[in-house]
Amino acid sequence: APSPVSSQVGRVGLGFQHARLQLQKATVGDEIMAAGGEQVGTREVGRVLDLVRLPRSMAARRVDSLSGGQMRRVVLAGLIARRPEVLVLDEPLAGLDPPAREEIVALLARLRADGMTIVIISHDFESLESVCTRRVRLVDGRLLPDSQQMIDQAHGWDGGTR
């Protein structure tokens, strides 16, 4: 008999494009613990804050006092704390300044190198090359493999949305 759907909870972590919509708790620490699940305590909160390059003292900060980039990192920390098999991120670099973008790309590359499957929805192909081993595009409702690049260029498509 197939296993119940409830046994699959947490296997896929999803990061929204707008991080603020994903944050539900009052403090950063509470948010990470809630997102990470019952097994996540303060030690794990500190570990994932280190991974996303936020100071451990931020665990006590109110979520509504964070910048957009900090919110994005807190969401990512909560997802990592859950230890999903697959991480799906929608525009994970949106709204980040260049140094923060580089840090997030480096973190995603490390997670990928450690064996995590990561699916990224983004318009920013170049910044994510070190993370993504395969790229597909959605054009007019069809998935196109990266091998379509020459065809797309011939038709004037520059990689943006259609």
Side-chain angles (χ1 to χ4, degrees), residues 16-149:
F16 299 170
Q17 179 174 357
H18 301 289
R20 182 64 185 108
L21 298 176
Q22 202 157 349
L23 300 171
Q24 302 295 315
K25 299 295 180 183
T27 67
V28 168
D30 288 345
E31 182 63 41
I32 293 169
M33 285 191 276
E38 294 176 359
Q39 76 283 1
V40 174
T42 56
R43 178 175 287 148
E44 181 67 0
V45 169
R47 184 186 79 82
V48 295
L49 284 172
D50 290 344
L51 281 175
V52 299
R53 304 270 171 111
L54 288 174
R56 289 179 177 224
S57 61
M58 191 163 279
R61 289 258 316 261
R62 293 193 52 81
V63 167
D64 57 11
S65 72
L66 302 177
S67 70
Q70 290 169 331
M71 286 182 189
R72 187 167 302 282
R73 288 171 186 247
V74 169
V75 167
L76 191 54
L79 294 172
I80 293 168
R82 182 136 202 121
R83 299 182 190 268
E85 293 175 27
V86 178
L87 196 54
V88 179
L89 303 173
D90 187 7
E91 299 288 356
L93 305 179
L96 297 178
D97 61 24
R101 291 167 68 89
E102 289 177 16
E103 289 176 358
I104 295 300
V105 168
L107 170 61
L108 295 175
R110 281 194 312 274
L111 293 171
R112 174 85 174 84
D114 289 344
M116 183 177 286
T117 299
I118 302 175
V119 177
I120 298 175
I121 299 103
S122 183
H123 294 92
D124 190 356
F125 298 129
E126 292 75 31
S127 295
L128 294 162
E129 284 180 352
S130 65
V131 178
C132 300
T133 57
R134 181 170 177 234
R135 182 171 72 185
V136 296
R137 287 173 276 169
L138 182 63
V139 178
D140 297 329
R142 294 180 302 131
L143 280 179
L144 299 178
D146 203 31
S147 61
Q148 291 290 119
Q149 184 174 9

